[in-house]
Amino acid sequence: MIAVLCPGQGSQTPGMLTPWLDRDDLDARGVLERLSEAAQVDLLHLGTEADADAIKDTAVAQPLIVATSLLSLTALTATAGSHTPWTAVTAGHSVGEYAAAVVAGVLTDTEALSLVATRGRAMAAAAAATPTGMAAVVGGDPDEVLDAIRSHDLVAANVNGGGQVVAAGSREAIAALQEAAPARARVIPLAVAGAFHTDYMRSAVDAVSDAASALAPAAPSVPLLTNADGSVVPDGPTALRQMVAQISRPVRWDLCQEQLAALGVTAAIELAPAGVLTGLAKRTLKGVEVVALKSPDDLDAVADLVDRHRARP
């Protein structure tokens, strides 16, 4: 059983689209032009020429990450055949859920890019309204970490498993948590615009909900997990509602990974820009083979994994 995983914000790096443009079997420019039109941003420039500061902006980082995931999926399909027959389940972390919705057939690629561009702009605006932040809490006793986060009036906005929780809230509270870190834990402030996946993002939920109301999501052709609790979403409309709601609700990636294990997943592929989810999976999904599709150089390894782990009739 193979899972396809889609990364979230913070996975972007300068020039990450450049290697994909040299593939003869992939009309990368054509794909990116079409997705750029849907998102109303120049993805080709952002993914090849823009520097780290430019692509850190939430408004452009989110569509850039999702477009990169979908471009790598297109390349993988050209190498290993249509993903639908061999993908047993898919899941995405935070904004990665929008790419996973395309993997599952709930949204088209242009629908996902249009919606995620609205999401990025709305979350950037919400973050600018009130000074807030996020910090990764790594290590420590899990219960003590959660107690410390709550005691500082912060929210465990990402519970990622593998000994990593991301706290979110006011900048003053983040600083106080850093000064009084839980035992055997490190508190690492993150370079993000604001407290994502908290009530500070309520205005963004409203904006994305309005945009989503114009869509007609399809039934998943591949099981899709929700960040809310790791469960398999029952239908397209529910998937879309939960994708919108998670903007102001915690991401429970730990529960997504528990569900992957419960389903009997034997291998996982993280789409580009890959790395973060691969690292978490290696720490928590023991015995599961994981490959990070970072660039076209990884396509042969991914195709080999697909051949060895795909379900046989």
Side-chain angles (χ1 to χ4, degrees):
M1 292 184 67
I2 302 171
V4 173
L5 309 179
C6 305
Q9 195 164 339
S11 57
Q12 71 273 17
T13 56
M16 66 185 183
L17 287 179
T18 300
W20 301 97
L21 298 176
D22 297 329
R23 296 284 300 188
D24 293 333
D25 58 350
L26 177 67
D27 180 19
R29 289 184 182 274
V31 172
L32 292 171
E33 287 172 1
R34 187 167 52 80
L35 297 181
S36 291
E37 183 177 356
Q40 293 298 294
V41 295
D42 187 347
L43 295 168
L44 188 60
H45 164 71
L46 290 168
T48 60
E49 300 173 338
D51 62 17
D53 284 340
I55 63 173
K56 186 172 67 176
D57 179 1
T58 298
V60 299
Q62 294 192 11
L64 177 61
I65 291 164
V66 172
T68 303
S69 293
L70 297 181
L71 184 61
S72 69
L73 177 67
T74 301
L76 176 56
T77 297
T79 303
S82 172
H83 71 278
T84 305
W86 50 258
T87 303
V89 62
T90 185
H93 187 286
S94 186
V95 73
E97 272 200 326
Y98 290 70
V102 178
V103 175
V106 172
L107 298 177
T108 67
D109 56 359
T110 52
E111 287 173 336
L113 261 293
S114 176
L115 191 59
V116 83
T118 299
R119 182 187 193 268
R121 290 189 295 267
M123 291 178 72
T130 306
T132 56
M134 304 179 82
V137 185
V138 181
D141 177 81
D143 290 335
E144 291 180 5
V145 167
L146 293 176
D147 286 344
I149 290 171
R150 285 190 290 264
S151 71
H152 286 89
D153 291 326
L154 295 166
V155 174
N158 299 166
V159 184
N160 290 329
Q164 184 189 100
V165 179
V166 176
S170 72
R171 292 178 183 173
E172 294 79 10
I174 292 289
L177 178 65
Q178 190 176 14
E179 287 293 322
R184 301 178 304 283
R186 292 180 296 139
V187 179
I188 307 166
L190 302 179
V192 296
F196 302 146
H197 302 291
T198 71
D199 283 341
Y200 288 103
M201 294 291 117
R202 283 302 314 171
S203 63
V205 172
D206 294 339
V208 179
S209 180
D210 286 345
S213 65
L215 300 178
S221 57
V222 169
L224 171 65
L225 306 187
T226 172
N227 281 179
D229 58 10
S231 62
V232 178
V233 297
D235 52 56
T238 300
L240 187 57
R241 284 196 300 272
Q242 291 180 336
M243 288 162 57
V244 173
Q246 56 103 301
I247 293 169
S248 65
R249 295 179 183 173
V251 169
R252 294 300 306 268
W253 190 249
D254 59 330
L255 299 182
C256 288
Q257 291 190 115
E258 287 180 13
Q259 182 70 277
L260 294 175
L263 291 171
V265 164
T266 59
I269 300 163
E270 183 183 0
L271 299 180
V276 173
L277 301 184
T278 298
L280 289 171
K282 286 180 177 179
R283 290 198 293 274
T284 59
L285 296 174
K286 301 302 182 183
V288 174
E289 185 177 359
V290 188
V291 175
L293 181 52
K294 296 182 178 181
S295 78
D297 292 341
D298 301 309
L299 284 168
D300 288 342
V302 175
D304 176 67
L305 178 145
V306 169
D307 186 61
R308 289 183 291 104
H309 287 270
R310 71 191 306 162
R312 305 294 182 182

